[in-house]
Amino acid sequence: MSFIPGQTVREFATITLSERLLRKSTADSYRQTIRHLGMEETLMEEVTLLFLFERLQTITNVNTKRKHTVALRSLFRDAVPNIKELKITKSVPRVYDFPSEEDMRRVIESTPYRFYGLLMMYAGLRIGEACAITPKDLKGNVLKVHKQRDEDGKLVLSKTQGEVIIPDWLCEEVRNHRPEVVTPGAVRESLWRYGKKIGVTTNPHMFRHWYCTVLVKRKVNPEIARKQMRHSDLKTTLGYYAQVEKADIDRAVSESFGTPVEPEASKPQKPKKKGKKGKKKGDLEKLFNEWLKTQGLED
């Protein structure tokens, strides 16, 4: 849509986002972008391709810059000519310095929201998905993941839908859970606060990465890992979630090439005797006898 002269970016975004069929989380992310880039009170007349490009140059994190570029291209697609000139860079997989499993469990068990932490860590759920789980979502050991809670506590469709197989002990946790309205923000803040108390740094998405990494390290079929993570593309599972550390590479190289096969010492071969070229001995004798016969010299 075109903008109204004198309209601020915040006003333009409010109208534009209200007219589009976007997930609330996506719309909130776009609003966060214009806040982060300090553009809310900028007049729309000042928003040019060069203006947006220069604002993006202030972002040093590759993945954050990519997220903001996507938001700007979508938000101003009808208002800024040649907006697609803002190139969307390739994302870089985030590498976590995982605490030990014991330390991560200590953080989860310390918080009032251990149930949601266990679902993230041992079922690979996203934080909003974990906050939406109820006993009705479990059949046998199959957990149906199809909804999530947004930051306002409302239930919305989850980012990806599917079924996750969970261990028996976690099934019991789900069956005994008493549903309540808990927002992702409350769980996130609680994990950070209790982790800080015991000197362990965690965040909700780290648990999902850890879950996938454990599956891959234990040599689970990659297709199983993809289904458990509910990814549509195996490249996402292996390229962005299955984290490989230097110690893993060191071990793989050592196990594969640490003991090279030494060739046996070769014995010197005796040179073959070169025989004289010509007829064999028997052939020569036969010819000689025939010659004697022709000469009448035969005995």
Side-chain angles (χ1 to χ4, degrees), residues 139-181:
K139 289 186 178 180
N141 65 344
V142 180
L143 188 65
K144 184 178 181 180
V145 183
H146 60 99
K147 58 186 182 297
Q148 66 181 34
R149 285 201 185 276
D150 63 18
E151 294 298 341
D152 294 328
K154 297 178 181 178
L155 288 175
V156 296
L157 194 67
S158 60
K159 184 176 181 180
T160 55
Q161 296 82 47
E163 295 179 340
V164 178
I165 308 298
I166 62 175
D168 291 340
W169 66 266
L170 190 52
C171 290
E172 286 301 311
E173 294 279 351
V174 175
R175 292 189 191 101
N176 297 328
H177 175 62
R178 299 180 64 180
E180 57 184 341
V181 177

Side-chain angles (χ1 to χ4, degrees), residues 210-245:
W210 178 86
Y211 177 82
C212 186
T213 299
V214 170
L215 288 178
V216 173
K217 282 185 176 181
R218 292 179 181 173
K219 301 180 180 179
V220 171
N221 185 314
E223 183 62 14
I224 293 176
R226 183 192 69 80
K227 286 187 175 182
Q228 287 290 95
M229 295 294 289
R230 291 166 288 116
H231 288 148
S232 59
D233 191 345
L234 184 59
K235 290 181 181 179
T236 303
T237 308
L238 300 181
Y240 289 90
Y241 281 83
Q243 186 167 306
V244 177
E245 300 172 350

Side-chain angles (χ1 to χ4, degrees), residues 25-193:
S25 59
T26 301
D28 288 343
S29 177
Y30 289 178
R31 294 187 185 95
Q32 183 186 47
T33 288
I34 62 175
R35 283 197 302 271
H36 187 88
L37 296 178
M39 297 169 51
E40 287 185 297
E41 301 306 318
T42 302
L43 294 178
M44 283 298 298
E45 291 92 334
E46 300 174 16
V47 180
T48 62
L49 187 64
L50 180 61
F51 173 84
L52 297 176
F53 176 78
E54 290 177 344
R55 287 299 172 106
L56 287 171
Q57 300 318 299
T58 63
I59 309 299
T60 57
N61 182 279
V62 175
N63 290 339
T64 302
K65 184 177 180 180
R66 183 179 190 275
K67 181 186 75 170
H68 289 327
T69 303
V70 171
L72 293 177
R73 282 182 47 158
S74 176
L75 188 60
F76 298 110
R77 68 188 184 194
D78 300 323
V80 177
N82 302 317
I83 190 69
K84 290 185 178 180
E85 290 296 319
L86 294 178
K87 301 302 180 183
I88 300 174
T89 57
K90 186 177 180 180
S91 61
V92 178
R94 182 169 182 177
V95 178
Y96 287 99
D97 183 13
F98 293 126
S100 67
E101 180 177 1
E102 181 182 3
D103 282 344
M104 287 193 286
R105 280 296 300 271
R106 281 203 307 153
V107 174
I108 289 174
E109 296 293 340
S110 300
T111 74
Y113 305 119
R114 64 180 294 277
F115 174 73
Y116 310 108
L118 293 175
L119 286 174
M120 289 186 285
M121 186 169 179
Y122 293 105
L125 269 59
R126 301 178 181 90
I127 185 171
E129 296 166 343
C131 291
I133 291 296
T134 70
K136 293 181 180 179
D137 298 316
L138 184 68
K139 289 186 178 180
N141 65 344
V142 180
L143 188 65
K144 184 178 181 180
V145 183
H146 60 99
K147 58 186 182 297
Q148 66 181 34
R149 285 201 185 276
D150 63 18
E151 294 298 341
D152 294 328
K154 297 178 181 178
L155 288 175
V156 296
L157 194 67
S158 60
K159 184 176 181 180
T160 55
Q161 296 82 47
E163 295 179 340
V164 178
I165 308 298
I166 62 175
D168 291 340
W169 66 266
L170 190 52
C171 290
E172 286 301 311
E173 294 279 351
V174 175
R175 292 189 191 101
N176 297 328
H177 175 62
R178 299 180 64 180
E180 57 184 341
V181 177
V182 174
T183 64
V187 178
R188 188 181 297 109
E189 193 275 337
S190 183
L191 287 170
W192 177 83
R193 181 157 41 89

